[in-house]
Amino acid sequence: MSRTLLTPQELAQALSALPDWDIVSSGKAIRRLFTFKDFNEAFGFMTRIAMHAEKLDHHPEWSNVYNKVEVTLTTHSSQGISKLDIQMAEIMDKLGG
Amino acid sequence: MSRTLLTPQELAQALSALPDWDIVSSGKAIRRLFTFKDFNEAFGFMTRIAMHAEKLDHHPEWSNVYNKVEVTLTTHSSQGISKLDIQMAEIMDKLGG
């Protein structure tokens, strides 16, 4: 099940391929800050991600201040980090640099 | 100048027409939480606002979690609340209900 919590081993392995992401202090989410040239580029990124989020039915928690987008990914129904969060992080890295 | 700080009187008058907005504790920004039906509606709102923000060259600080959008408006160059923030708040109220 894609919303099943990852084991510590699975999580460690997944994050080794996502070096820009950190585990938040609760251990229940991953976080990354993306920096773009300007608001246009930052919001363009958010728009592309929004469509992926709808398709996956898995939505980021995110904030935007001008050229910066801070993203937190967690799976609420499982209260932690699942394969879906890793999948979304991979998509974000691909589209957000 | 649209980025000039509002006087306390001007601010009080402007906010009387914006009852859903609060002044944050620093006194240097206004804030509102918008709640929508779902992510699609929340992000649709953000997209429409993004275009206004670019046109006005005045960008919100905002965060989104599924159907919720929390917005903070401030004028960094003036370190406080200006006419542009009120203008943006009025646009947001019009488009966000």
Side-chain angles (χ1 to χ4, degrees), chain A residues 38-40 43 46-51 53-54 57 59-66 76, chain B residues 38-40 43 46-51 53-54 57 59-66 76:
Chain A
D38 54 22
F39 177 79
N40 183 308
F43 200 79
M46 292 178 77
T47 303
R48 289 192 296 276
I49 294 302
M51 290 187 238
E54 281 291 80
D57 191 23
H59 302 83
E61 301 179 8
W62 49 4
S63 61
N64 159 242
V65 178
Y66 195 60
H76 288 281
Chain B
D38 54 22
F39 177 79
N40 183 309
F43 200 80
M46 292 179 77
T47 303
R48 290 192 295 279
I49 294 301
M51 290 188 237
E54 281 289 82
D57 191 23
H59 302 84
E61 300 178 9
W62 48 4
S63 60
N64 160 242
V65 178
Y66 195 60
H76 287 281

Side-chain angles (χ1 to χ4, degrees), chain B residues 2 4 6 12 15 19-20 29 37 40 46-48 55 61-62 72 75 78 85 89 95:
Chain B
S2 58
T4 305
L6 297 180
L15 287 182
D20 295 320
K37 193 184 63 159
N40 183 309
M46 292 179 77
T47 303
R48 290 192 295 279
K55 196 167 175 181
E61 300 178 9
W62 48 4
T72 302
T75 302
S78 306
D85 298 308
L95 296 178

Side-chain angles (χ1 to χ4, degrees), chain A residues 15-85:
Chain A
L15 287 181
S16 70
L18 296 167
D20 295 320
W21 292 79
D22 295 312
I23 300 178
V24 305
S25 57
S26 69
K28 297 184 175 179
I30 54 175
R31 181 177 293 166
R32 182 181 167 187
L33 177 68
F34 292 86
T35 302
F36 299 92
K37 194 184 63 157
D38 54 22
F39 177 79
N40 183 308
E41 288 204 1
F43 200 79
F45 166 74
M46 292 178 77
T47 303
R48 289 192 296 276
I49 294 302
M51 290 187 238
H52 285 282
E54 281 291 80
K55 196 168 176 181
L56 291 172
D57 191 23
H58 192 59
H59 302 83
E61 301 179 8
W62 49 4
S63 61
N64 159 242
V65 178
Y66 195 60
N67 68 328
K68 296 192 187 301
V69 180
E70 188 178 77
V71 180
T72 301
L73 297 173
T74 186
T75 302
H76 288 281
S77 58
S78 307
Q79 299 193 348
I81 304 162
S82 75
K83 196 171 177 179
L84 262 181
D85 298 308

